Amino acid sequence: MRVVIAEDSVLLRAGLIKLLETAGFEVVAAVGEAAGLLAAVAEHRPDLAVVDVRMPPGHTDEGVRAALVIRRESPDVAVLLLSQYVEERYAADLLAEHTSGIGYLLKDRVADVSTFLDALRRVAAGGTALDPEVVAQLLLRRGGGPLGRLTPREREVLELMAEGRSNAGIAAALVVSESAVAKHINGIFTKLDLPHAEGDHRRVLAVLRFLDGDA
Amino acid sequence: MDLPAAERLPWSREAWRDTLFVLSGAPLQAACWTLLALPWAFWVPERAGSVLSLLLASCAAALALVRPLTRAHRERAWAVLGRDLPVPPARPGGLLRALRAEDPRRDLGRELLYHLVVGPLLGGAAAAVALAWAGGAALATAVFWPPHAALLIAGLTLAGLALLAAAPWLAAGVRRLDVRAMAALLGPDRARELERRVEDLAGKRADVVDAADLERRRIERDLHDGAQQRLVALAMNLGLARETLTDVPEPARRVIVEAHEEAKAALAELRDLIRGLHPAVLADRGLDAALSGVAARVPLPVTLRVDVAERVASTVEAVAYFVVAEALTNVVKHAGAASVEVAVVRDGPTLRVRVADDGAGGADPARGTGLAGLARRVRSVDGTFRVVSPPGGPTALTVELPCAL
């Protein structure tokens, strides 16, 4: 899998390259700022871009803005954002336009190598990976409405769905069986009023409802 | 300053200096009225028009004389007493414009008060001083007068000596009054001066507060670009080692695992520290975005309402952020609460921050440094700070901050 890395800290950039190459990714370019990232993506057409949120010259949210440009101009390139802090506003900006091939993780997560690589592969495969901290922030805003009718367990399942996990992943995280997860998910669909007719997309719709906050 | 009695003797330097000061003032103090009255001594016109124009001309001349006279008085105080009276504020654009603008008009009024009312009275006092010296000298030398009764001569001489002794005191008194009157009426307006000073100090304090805020951001940036990145790289390398070095002896593996966990814990701590300093998202996206991050990490249900349509000064934002973050930390540590409500609402020129919990109460800003530190930080931007926390709860902390500094 071909990857572009954008990270302004030289040390971390070198570390990421080593980490990804050890895991079998092919790092085709590693740059230090947003303009270089856009150029590298246009040139190499990678499967995935791993992007630091805070980069020169402004050191604010250059990475988020670059991610939006990449997803708009090259929809087949997945983007995983890394940030020193994760903020739901940035996540909301990203998810407002795209819900697949997007990841947004706390930079610290790279320390948990296998979990991090797992998220990376999920995003590259068109899934999502949201940091639990972001999900917690998003949850803070969703007061009443149908979300309020969910049981605590169903909420947990929905949060993990929002983080981008599969049923198997959720089952592992909550230490329950996959069939129990499926049961909870059905409960969520019912309570969020998502009829069966829409088939497989209901999962995405549920997460979207959750993230948009109009559930 | 009052001089010791010995220095008030008629022949002391101070006595002559005071006298010189007082007497040199008299012509200046008489100048205004002299100018107003002089024309009439030579010529009294009969037609109303001429009377009016003469009146106007002398008034205008007197007005034009105000500034030079004031300057002369200042020079007199400097030359004789070595006292530098505060310079009155410049009167931009000359007399006519001074009459229109409020502040210069007030200054002009005070100067006129000196030159027309207080000055002439002091001039009269100066005449009395001159009289005391002259009369004293004349009477004290009665011995040399044509022969009179010895008793009369002795009496007159004594009276003269008494007058001579009194003259320095009189001169000193008049000098003191004059200096005071000049400082009050010819210098800058004290009340205005204080106002200006308060404004100046408020501006300086705002600068200091801003500088502290800037410094916090600089530290945040330095930590972020330096220590934090290194720690992430370290934790990542340790993570990589933990994943890949599976065939090392068990004790070595344990060390790697421990080091990895330590590095991750240090990262989390550093992240919290940096967040407390000044989170980047605050500058970037404002209070709502920054506070949702803080609230989400509180291990309690938090209701957050931020209603700030128009962003406030960045220093005020920083204080509001700090208040909420600290207050939430306090709630988690001490209150034993089940839920917290946070509301940040902009109400015109005021930003109102309220953090209320349903915990045990009994929070007291007088005890413990947390609340006192908060109160200090709030005061630094002229905010108000209020904690209502009866024993048994609930606790509500309310802070009001002026939006613009």
Side-chain angles (χ1 to χ4, degrees):
Chain A
M1 201 174 300
R2 303 169 71 247
V3 184
V4 166
I5 295 173
E7 160 66 60
D8 60 317
S9 157
V10 180
L11 195 67
L12 205 51
R13 193 161 68 215
L16 276 172
I17 294 171
K18 189 170 70 187
L19 179 67
L20 292 186
E21 288 184 338
T22 310
F25 291 84
E26 182 195 346
V27 179
V28 291
V31 297
E33 32 78 48
L37 167 66
L38 293 179
V41 167
E43 186 192 335
H44 297 287
R45 289 276 166 200
D47 302 299
L48 175 68
V50 178
V51 181
D52 184 13
V53 167
R54 193 153 116 166
M55 281 188 295
H59 292 281
T60 55
D61 62 348
E62 284 76 8
V64 176
R65 281 183 268 137
L68 288 172
V69 173
I70 293 173
R71 293 296 287 140
R72 198 174 307 133
E73 291 179 356
S74 327
D76 49 329
V77 179
V79 181
L80 177 76
L81 281 162
L82 292 177
S83 176
Q84 216 66 29
Y85 343 89
V86 286
E87 304 293 351
E88 42 122 355
R89 290 311 155 85
Y90 297 150
D93 283 0
L94 295 167
L95 295 164
E97 298 195 25
H98 314 277
T99 46
S100 61
I102 277 282
Y104 183 44
L105 293 180
L106 205 54
K107 224 179 228 181
D108 300 12
R109 309 287 178 218
V110 301
D112 289 312
V113 175
S114 56
T115 325
F116 174 67
L117 292 174
D118 193 41
L120 218 63
R121 292 197 184 96
R122 205 159 65 220
V123 171
T128 53
L130 280 189
D131 200 277
E133 277 210 15
V134 178
V135 175
Q137 285 183 41
L138 288 164
L139 201 63
L140 185 74
R141 305 273 167 183
R142 324 297 166 225
L147 271 182
R149 294 204 295 269
L150 301 182
T151 64
R153 194 50 145 199
E154 284 166 350
R155 270 181 100 92
E156 281 175 342
V157 172
L158 185 53
E159 280 177 55
L160 290 166
M161 273 166 68
E163 283 174 27
R165 314 267 184 129
S166 64
N167 282 14
I170 296 171
L174 295 179
V175 202
V176 294
S177 67
E178 269 192 61
S179 63
V181 171
K183 213 178 76 200
H184 288 310
I185 291 178
N186 266 322
I188 293 169
F189 289 159
T190 313
K191 287 182 182 170
L192 295 188
D193 199 20
L194 298 165
H196 202 266
E198 283 166 85
D200 289 339
H201 296 297
R202 288 192 300 170
R203 190 185 183 87
V204 177
L205 283 178
V207 170
L208 270 181
R209 288 268 183 104
F210 170 65
L211 296 178
D212 289 347
D214 49 43
Chain B
M1 48 168 183
D2 263 340
L3 298 163
E7 296 180 12
R8 287 278 166 63
L9 294 171
W11 52 84
S12 72
R13 259 189 78 219
E14 280 71 24
W16 292 113
R17 193 200 57 189
D18 286 352
T19 305
L20 178 60
F21 177 72
V22 166
L23 293 185
S24 64
L28 295 172
Q29 282 149 348
C32 245
W33 279 113
T34 310
L35 194 72
L36 285 172
L38 207 56
W40 309 93
F42 296 105
W43 176 53
V44 180
E46 274 143 36
R47 288 205 351 261
S50 315
V51 170
L52 204 63
S53 41
L54 187 58
L55 205 61
L56 278 175
S58 52
C59 280
L63 271 180
L65 202 62
V66 164
R67 266 286 136 120
L69 274 179
T70 300
R71 253 198 312 276
H73 278 298
R74 279 174 47 78
E75 290 307 317
R76 176 169 70 99
W78 173 246
V80 183
L81 299 180
R83 281 189 71 147
D84 198 12
L85 292 174
V87 188
R91 205 179 280 157
L95 200 59
L96 280 179
R97 237 175 272 167
L99 283 171
R100 276 203 297 272
E102 198 206 325
D103 272 3
R105 193 166 59 215
R106 272 224 307 248
D107 288 339
L108 186 65
R110 288 185 309 117
E111 285 181 57
L112 277 175
L113 183 64
Y114 182 89
H115 294 307
L116 290 178
V117 181
V118 181
L121 288 176
L122 287 165
V129 171
L131 208 65
W133 281 114
L139 291 177
T141 53
V143 216
F144 306 110
W145 293 2
H148 283 289
L151 198 64
L152 182 64
I153 288 177
L156 286 175
T157 309
L158 275 180
L161 288 174
L163 262 182
L164 280 182
W169 295 90
L170 188 60
V174 177
R175 184 254 304 155
R176 258 203 302 280
L177 281 177
D178 199 359
V179 167
R180 267 205 189 158
M182 283 163 69
L185 299 176
L186 299 186
D189 189 338
R190 239 180 100 67
R192 303 287 305 171
E193 211 40 27
L194 283 176
E195 253 173 61
R196 258 192 289 276
R197 183 139 181 74
V198 168
E199 271 168 35
D200 186 41
L201 286 175
K204 278 185 188 144
R205 190 190 57 176
D207 286 348
V208 170
V209 171
D210 281 345
D213 193 41
L214 267 180
E215 186 67 359
R216 259 191 292 279
R217 288 178 203 215
R218 190 189 62 74
I219 296 170
E220 186 263 344
R221 215 169 24 242
D222 286 356
L223 283 177
H224 176 275
D225 293 340
Q228 208 173 15
Q229 308 290 344
R230 279 176 185 279
L231 256 182
V232 171
L234 171 68
M236 184 174 66
N237 280 326
L238 284 170
L240 202 57
R242 189 178 174 174
E243 298 275 328
T244 50
L245 299 179
T246 45
D247 52 352
V248 292
E250 184 52 29
R253 199 181 142 66
R254 237 192 347 263
V255 170
I256 292 173
V257 169
E258 270 171 30
H260 185 222
E261 294 302 324
E262 280 295 319
K264 284 199 293 181
L267 257 182
E269 264 177 42
L270 185 61
R271 193 149 48 89
D272 281 349
L273 172 74
I274 292 177
R275 253 195 178 281
L277 282 173
H278 191 106
V281 71
L282 180 59
D284 193 15
R285 296 285 168 108
L287 273 174
D288 196 4
L291 289 179
S292 67
V294 176
R297 287 198 319 286
V298 174
L300 295 171
V302 182
T303 318
L304 174 68
R305 186 162 73 91
V306 181
D307 189 2
V308 186
E310 200 185 325
R311 287 189 63 174
V312 299
S314 68
T315 305
V316 176
E317 272 187 347
V319 172
Y321 173 84
F322 180 75
V323 166
V324 174
E326 272 296 302
L328 286 176
T329 308
N330 279 343
V331 168
V332 172
K333 266 197 215 155
H334 307 297
S339 69
V340 197
E341 248 177 71
V342 179
V344 180
V345 179
R346 176 162 188 178
D347 184 6
T350 310
L351 188 70
R352 194 165 292 126
V353 180
R354 189 166 181 276
V355 180
D357 69 69
D358 57 358
D364 182 3
R367 293 182 301 116
T369 51
L371 283 175
L374 268 189
R376 251 202 314 278
R377 188 91 184 257
V378 168
R379 265 204 308 276
S380 76
V381 290
D382 265 339
T384 63
F385 179 86
R386 187 184 180 84
V387 179
V388 180
S389 181
T395 301
L397 183 150
T398 313
V399 166
E400 289 189 358
L401 306 166
C403 286
L405 276 183

